[in-house]
Amino acid sequence: LKAKGLELGVYYNPLWATRSAVTNPSVTVIGRPDVKVADIINPGDYFDGGGLLQWVDATRDGAEEYVKGYVAYFRQLGAVFLRIDFLAWYEVGFDQSGGTVGVAHGRDSYLQALGWMREAAGDMQLSLVMPNLFDHGSGERQYGDLVRIDNDASFGGWFHLSNSRQTW
């Protein structure tokens, strides 16, 4: 990429744990051989409903190393940008368009996780996607470099871009 004048950016949420990592008892958190990935999630706490991705519980022992480890891995690959999506879903378990989508992990866990990401990111830019921006975005302004403030454009059209939210 550098030879072509490009920089690497990654789309991933370090709070996701894959089913393959959760269900394999030999997979441990980097730097914590005593902690299995399954130890840092709560059963049934799915990001995607189908269980391919589960949310990491920031209150669990080993969660900090897991989250920081993912960010550090991307930095080691040479990434200068990390786009972290579905943050509102982690914090409150709710989507403004879809309603309840999962478990609310709470403000404290959410901010703790953002703090870990910021610490591990160094000079890598953190793009925070779909945050709630409570308290005028005080947490996001503290830990992120960029914030996406609205839904995806998806397939476009009047309904998706405006009409479905006329009651707001």
Side-chain angles (χ1 to χ4, degrees):
L1 288 172
K2 287 182 182 179
K4 294 185 178 275
L6 301 171
E7 295 179 313
L8 176 64
V10 176
Y11 171 93
Y12 196 77
N13 189 324
L15 290 166
W16 290 334
T18 63
R19 180 189 308 177
S20 60
V22 171
T23 58
N24 185 339
S26 70
V27 178
T28 61
V29 174
I30 298 296
R32 290 294 305 272
D34 59 317
V35 179
K36 295 176 183 71
V37 172
D39 296 335
I40 62 171
I41 59 97
N42 296 309
D45 187 5
Y46 301 120
F47 158 73
D48 62 354
L52 294 177
L53 293 173
Q54 291 186 254
W55 289 112
V56 169
D57 181 343
T59 66
R60 297 282 187 103
D61 185 37
E64 178 178 2
E65 292 88 346
Y66 180 90
V67 171
K68 285 182 174 180
Y70 250 113
V71 176
Y73 172 71
F74 295 137
R75 280 187 70 204
Q76 290 167 2
L77 290 176
V80 298
F81 181 83
L82 178 59
R83 189 161 177 84
I84 308 158
D85 207 348
F86 296 97
L87 292 171
W89 290 15
Y90 186 80
E91 184 179 15
V92 299
F94 186 82
D95 179 77
Q96 295 170 345
S97 297
T100 300
V101 292
V103 175
H105 295 91
R107 182 82 172 155
D108 291 341
S109 289
Y110 169 69
L111 293 177
Q112 179 68 70
L114 287 182
W116 294 336
M117 292 178 210
R118 174 78 276 149
E119 187 177 326
D123 61 355
M124 182 169 49
Q125 289 187 331
L126 297 182
S127 174
L128 308 180
V129 181
M130 215 172 82
N132 290 303
L133 297 172
F134 294 135
D135 191 28
H136 301 286
S138 62
E140 292 82 5
R141 287 186 289 125
Q142 182 178 356
Y143 299 118
D145 297 296
L146 302 102
V147 175
R148 190 188 85 195
I149 60 169
D150 205 352
N151 265 357
D152 293 332
S154 187
F155 297 105
W158 180 248
F159 179 80
H160 187 77
L161 297 176
S162 181
N163 195 43
S164 68
R165 295 185 178 183
Q166 291 299 311
T167 59
W168 286 15

